[in-house]
Amino acid sequence: MKQAVRTLASQYGFDLCHVTRAQVNAPHPEAYQAWLAAGMHGEMAYMAEAERVARRQQPQSMLPGVRSVIAVAMRYTPPAYSLPEAEAAATSGVISTYAHGDDYHDVMKKRLKALARDLDELLGVHQQRVYVDTAPVLEHALAASAGLGWQGKHSLTINREFGSWLLLGELFTTADIEPDTPASNHCGSCSACIDVCPTAAIVAPYVVDARRCISYLSIEYRGYIPHALRPLFGNRIYGCDDCQMVCPWNRHASVCEIDFLRPRGENILPELASLLHLDDQSFRIRFARSPIKRTGRDALLRNVCVAMGNSADRQWVPMLHSRLQDESPLVRAFAFWAIEQLAGDDPLVRARLMDTMAFEHDQSAYKDMFETMEQNIE
Ligand code: SF4
Ligand code: SF4
């Protein structure tokens, strides 16, 4: 039966398909609790809501009578550039590889739902639920107990053959399917991901402090990125792949032949200048099918300002000036920060920044601008 399920899953583009019971094994629930208790989920308050915590720790609560969880993974194309090449492309922004094409939530959910329909024919009608990322499910823990891959020290799932360029999904079913053997861990004494992390966000093996992680800060977090971390972003404008790019298991991963996310050239190291002038409408058109639309125009422009501010290239200053009048206080404050980084020692620029700050009416933006100026004085 399991082989038939796997064959069906592969017809829908899932490279891996494993089965487990609806339970998460130690140390995952305890580790998750400790992570929350330390506040490492940042502003993702929903993660700490009691009901969602309980559901994550007891996956059987997601579907009454659930007998099996089918854990699937879909591969996507790894970046064609190396880390130094990405960093050297100073007029460009680095976008996390999974976001180079279509939104995987949409792509995978559609395929999982179709798989669920076909399973009804194969296994008889059962209750089923499908999840891709957004539900309160410890997906990496379920993937590990299903034998799909182990959770690496960077917290992502690694498969021995395919590495970690994987997107995960789950199909909960009341059908009884024989579970697979859990995956064993093959990180060994390696610490490459911990060593390369630009913001030291992997505070211990298997523990990522979201409050320091560029992926969280540039995608999920919509507020004022802490001043101390901004210079560490370099030219990363949407997510960060550094910990995956150095992982030895990705060096030997087999090639992804079909990428259902359909990566597009315009999202691979896009010119920063092409993004800074996006208004709401042009942003929605540019990123209509992309996961970047979820982050929103203001947060993306915030990130673009950070990359420009980190470039040490004064050519951006006039362009950034135009964003000091942006409708978004967040964008105004980050354009202000970027200009200050690039030309804060120029008395004329400094005078203009002081004027801008004097007329700023939004309290949060004003506070951020004030901190920017204060840091320069220090
Ligand atoms: S995504 Fe980037 S910032 Fe986050 S843990 Fe990995 S290397 Fe560090
Ligand atoms: S880089 Fe090394 S330690 Fe980090 S996940 Fe990969 S194998 Fe594990």
Side-chain angles (χ1 to χ4, degrees), residues 97 108 129 209 299 305 314 325:
T97 319
M108 286 185 71
R129 298 259 195 291
D209 187 342
C305 289
R314 286 191 176 214
Q325 274 81 47

Side-chain angles (χ1 to χ4, degrees), residues 150 152-155 158 185-198 200-206 242-249 251:
W150 75 96
K153 290 180 189 172
H154 50 21
S155 85
I158 306 174
N185 188 307
H186 298 278
C187 278
S189 59
C190 175
S191 63
C193 54
I194 299 172
D195 302 338
V196 82
C197 179
I202 309 177
V203 292
Y206 312 103
D242 293 21
C243 49
Q244 295 198 78
M245 287 173 84
V246 297
C247 180
W249 288 99
R251 228 177 286 146

Side-chain angles (χ1 to χ4, degrees), residues 46 117 142 180 206 252 271 366:
Y46 63 91
R117 278 195 298 274
L142 287 169
D180 286 294
Y206 312 103
H252 306 299
E271 284 290 318
Y366 180 84

Side-chain angles (χ1 to χ4, degrees), residues 304-313 316 320 334 337-339 341-342:
V304 171
C305 289
V306 171
M308 286 181 167
N310 288 334
S311 68
D313 187 343
W316 301 119
L320 284 161
F334 275 75
W337 178 84
I339 294 168
Q341 297 300 298
L342 297 173

Side-chain angles (χ1 to χ4, degrees), residues 115-188:
L115 173 63
R117 278 195 298 274
D118 280 7
L119 283 180
D120 273 347
E121 281 178 31
L122 182 73
L123 310 173
V125 176
H126 285 91
Q127 294 298 313
Q128 294 170 344
R129 298 259 195 291
V130 299
Y131 302 109
V132 180
D133 182 45
T134 47
V137 169
L138 286 178
E139 55 177 2
H140 298 290
L142 287 169
S145 52
L148 189 151
W150 75 96
Q151 194 165 10
K153 290 180 189 172
H154 50 21
S155 85
L156 302 168
T157 294
I158 306 174
N159 174 271
R160 281 180 77 118
E161 187 186 345
F162 298 149
S164 67
W165 304 110
L166 298 171
L167 300 161
L168 304 181
E170 301 79 34
L171 192 157
F172 283 53
T173 174
T174 51
D176 188 7
I177 311 172
E178 192 195 341
D180 286 294
T181 311
S184 45
N185 188 307
H186 298 278
C187 278

Side-chain angles (χ1 to χ4, degrees), residues 154 193 196-202 208 212-216 236 239-244:
H154 50 21
C193 54
V196 82
C197 179
T199 53
I202 309 177
V208 175
R212 296 191 65 82
C213 176
I214 294 171
S215 281
Y216 163 70
R236 296 167 191 80
C240 166
D241 285 334
D242 293 21
C243 49
Q244 295 198 78

